[in-house]
Amino acid sequence: MSYDGGYNPYGQGYSAPPGAYPPQNSQVSPDAQQWFNMVDRDRSGKINCEELQAALANGKGQSFSETACKLMISMFDNDASGTIDIYEFEKLFNYINQWLTVFKTYDRDGSGHIDENELQQALTQMGFRFSPEFINFLIKKSDPQGQKEVSVDQFIVLCVQIQRFTEAFRIRDTQQNGTITIGFEDFLTVAIGSSI
Amino acid sequence: MSYDGGYNPYGQGYSAPPGAYPPQNSQVSPDAQQWFNMVDRDRSGKINCEELQAALANGKGQSFSETACKLMISMFDNDASGTIDIYEFEKLFNYINQWLTVFKTYDRDGSGHIDENELQQALTQMGFRFSPEFINFLIKKSDPQGQKEVSVDQFIVLCVQIQRFTEAFRIRDTQQNGTITIGFEDFLTVAIGSSI
């Protein structure tokens, strides 16, 4: 990938956790099947945002936010039905587990939250070089009530946002110098299209 | 305002509906007070996202989305508590009523939804000159299930997104030619900071 050569303003760059996109497979793992059956409360064979939300707790014992659940469903909902079937679910299941593993690596005290330092370490590990001001901005954006902590669902939302906007930026950064020139409608398309 | 002179790539531009930001006033109107009492189910003197969601129905008889309610609360929640008091609520109440008036102007058949043509007319009326492709993109983004209609809560979310990103763009468009040059971290700050 040509982007990896020479000066890279984004560091090594972000990529989805390994295993997030396994090859299509008609065999569903027993773990995923069991979890699917638990989450699919109405036995419709499909999982929607509400069912996912009811099944996922963040570190504080609260449900994952609607924002996080909608985002995760939309990432694997190939037919844009607002629901996912067992095959789409298995990919989501792997994806969530990968994020939980990343998150737990940095949540060393097991509090279910990571603080500013831990978030900086996580993003650095993902290959980003962000200024302390930007990390502080991310914390404030995730946690407007000022507790300076990011829960696992907020962490997933942040990482997916950063991933999407970074990809949109890279495509346009033809000089690979970390700046782009962009028109109004294209800017709106990227900003609104990649927002959650 | 210098931006209005000469070529303006955004058209006349968007501004908040008149009355959205009334001057601070310790007198609350009886209408707003009555509505506040109805919405504040737990009589805490504060309204949170769930209470607002329970009180607002879109045209289909569904509740407003969590996204729309969180957005509206955050716009008037000066102390970032996640709740609004009666004074903040009155501003929100006026704001919602202004949007309902705009929406109803374009929802001529009273269906509770506007279609692609009606959305284009509404945005043109707000002073934007968008391409048909961009309008189509907005519809798809608002309604991924492909019904090609935008409900009132989706309309509010769209307009606030457009407003925020347009403001962020304008600040950086020092040449006023409809293009900006922007660095990676600044781009992420705008994109994530103005997203909902």
Side-chain angles (χ1 to χ4, degrees), chain A residues 9-71:
Chain A
Y10 322 111
Q12 294 170 292
Y14 172 80
S15 61
Y21 306 105
Q24 185 81 32
N25 188 338
S26 61
Q27 291 286 4
V28 174
S29 76
D31 275 3
Q33 181 72 60
Q34 194 177 2
W35 222 69
F36 184 86
N37 294 343
M38 197 185 75
V39 178
D40 180 25
R41 293 191 175 185
D42 64 358
R43 301 269 177 262
S44 65
K46 296 271 189 174
I47 285 173
N48 63 21
C49 180
E50 289 72 32
E51 288 174 327
L52 188 63
Q53 214 176 347
L56 287 171
N58 70 20
K60 269 187 176 167
Q62 299 164 327
S63 294
F64 269 41
S65 68
E66 185 185 321
T67 303
C69 292
K70 269 194 179 166
L71 171 66

Side-chain angles (χ1 to χ4, degrees), chain B residues 3 7 37 51 76 78 125 138 148 159 171 173 186 196:
Chain B
Y3 218 93
Y7 172 63
N37 294 343
E51 288 173 328
F76 297 95
N78 293 325
Q125 184 69 28
L138 291 178
K148 299 192 174 179
C159 291
I171 291 168
D173 184 13
D186 190 22
I196 295 158

Side-chain angles (χ1 to χ4, degrees), chain A residues 10 66 80 130-131 134 137 141 144-145 161 165-166 169 178-185 187-189 192-193 195, chain B residues 10 66 80 130-131 134 137 141 144-145 161 165-166 169 178-185 187-189 192-193 195:
Chain A
Y10 322 111
E66 185 185 321
F130 290 133
S131 68
F134 185 73
F137 155 78
K141 175 73 188 172
Q145 291 174 47
Q161 282 185 311
F165 289 124
T166 299
F169 190 91
T179 60
I180 59 169
T181 298
I182 187 167
F184 179 53
E185 220 174 76
F187 177 80
L188 285 184
T189 303
I192 294 174
S195 71
Chain B
Y10 322 111
E66 184 186 321
F130 289 131
S131 69
F134 185 73
F137 155 79
K141 175 73 187 170
Q145 290 174 48
Q161 283 185 311
F165 289 124
T166 299
F169 190 91
T179 60
I180 60 170
T181 297
I182 186 167
F184 179 52
E185 221 175 77
F187 177 79
L188 285 183
T189 304
I192 294 174
S195 72

Side-chain angles (χ1 to χ4, degrees), chain B residues 160-173:
Chain B
V160 173
Q161 283 185 311
I162 291 173
Q163 175 186 24
R164 288 187 179 178
F165 289 124
T166 299
E167 280 169 10
F169 190 91
R170 277 188 175 175
I171 291 168
R172 290 160 178 83
D173 184 13

